[in-house]
Amino acid sequence: MKELQMPIIYDQQQRIGYGGNQDWFHDEWAQKAGCASVLASNLYAFYQQQEKYNKDEFLGVMEDMFNLMTPGNMGYPFLYKFARTFIARMKQDNCYLKPVYQKKSKNYKHALDFVLKSIDEGHPVGMLILHHRAKELEEDNWHWICLSGYIESESHYRIVFSDCGMRREIDSRILFDTHHHNVFKMVRMQNDPTK
């Protein structure tokens, strides 16, 4: 098992989030379409190496990211734009990253290998699920999630992820099912050695 540290959010000393939750936004449109901002906030906290936040503090990060990645009518389903915007924001804090994309996974192993390598190298994965037929993911269509770890069993892997402030696990064979009805894209960061 390997799991990277997602930010843990507290409100009045009660743990309320494994990563951020778009429901915390005050703005109604942000509550509905702010998942890219939440993913960016989770990654921001991870690369700042800050493990604990109070809710108001983390909401400030989320609102900063929302201003940078304001969703349009279709939300914010832009893999390259997401990464470029996030990297530019991190650069302001002297954290130099570059993106590695997997726009289309050829098959289950191709997707799994990308994620295992990312986690093993210490980088969470942003996953944009445009459409997925699995009933376990019916609430996650047209949605960004943050893959933060994996649990190995004898025959397969379970993937750990942050979704709307919850720590969830799913069978990798379900998540990375490359059936033609399933459309998902992934990006991870890595340190930019040229900086």
Side-chain angles (χ1 to χ4, degrees):
M1 173 175 179
K2 180 145 190 183
E3 187 170 349
L4 303 175
Q5 178 65 53
M6 285 293 96
I8 304 301
I9 321 301
Y10 291 86
D11 189 23
Q12 296 175 345
Q13 298 174 335
Q14 292 287 318
R15 177 177 162 154
I16 59 163
Y18 176 88
N21 184 344
Q22 66 202 65
D23 288 346
W24 300 339
F25 282 117
H26 301 300
D27 178 79
E28 207 173 304
W29 179 237
Q31 290 172 3
K32 195 172 282 190
C35 55
S37 316
V38 173
L39 168 63
S41 302
N42 291 343
L43 295 175
Y44 175 86
F46 178 81
Y47 287 109
Q48 293 291 351
Q49 298 181 318
Q50 186 168 343
E51 296 175 9
K52 292 180 182 175
Y53 284 82
N54 67 50
K55 183 184 173 184
D56 290 343
E57 187 186 7
F58 198 77
L59 184 55
V61 177
M62 284 167 48
E63 286 169 345
D64 177 35
M65 294 301 176
F66 187 82
N67 290 332
L68 294 173
M69 302 180 186
T70 306
N73 291 340
M74 302 292 286
Y76 201 87
F78 311 117
L79 189 71
Y80 299 122
K81 193 176 176 186
F82 172 89
R84 281 196 308 269
T85 304
F86 178 74
I87 282 166
R89 174 63 187 85
M90 295 308 291
K91 200 172 174 183
Q92 292 172 16
D93 290 353
N94 300 314
C95 178
Y96 299 99
L97 301 165
K98 62 181 190 178
V100 180
Y101 300 104
Q102 187 148 302
K103 193 172 178 189
K104 185 167 173 49
S105 299
K106 296 181 206 128
N107 50 43
Y108 163 73
K109 188 174 185 312
H110 187 221
L112 179 67
D113 287 350
F114 181 83
V115 171
L116 296 185
K117 181 179 190 330
S118 302
I119 302 292
D120 284 345
E121 290 179 358
H123 297 285
V125 176
M127 184 175 191
L128 173 61
I129 302 173
L130 294 174
H131 185 265
H132 207 295
R133 62 187 183 143
K135 70 177 192 308
E136 294 90 339
L137 294 165
E138 61 191 356
E139 298 290 313
D140 291 307
N141 281 272
W142 215 262
H143 187 55
W144 286 95
I145 60 175
C146 187
L147 311 185
S148 54
Y150 62 82
I151 301 160
E152 194 174 354
S153 67
E154 284 174 24
S155 56
H156 67 287
Y157 292 84
R158 291 186 67 73
I159 303 300
V160 180
F161 63 103
S162 169
D163 180 18
C164 295
M166 292 185 297
R167 181 189 181 280
R168 294 181 58 191
E169 293 178 15
I170 189 168
D171 188 320
S172 59
R173 295 167 298 185
I174 295 171
L175 184 60
F176 303 136
D177 171 12
T178 52
H179 185 278
H180 64 275
H181 283 157
N182 294 343
V183 182
F184 57 84
K185 304 173 182 188
M186 297 186 284
V187 60
R188 75 160 178 265
M189 303 301 156
Q190 62 184 40
N191 300 324
D192 187 347
T194 64
K195 303 295 182 202

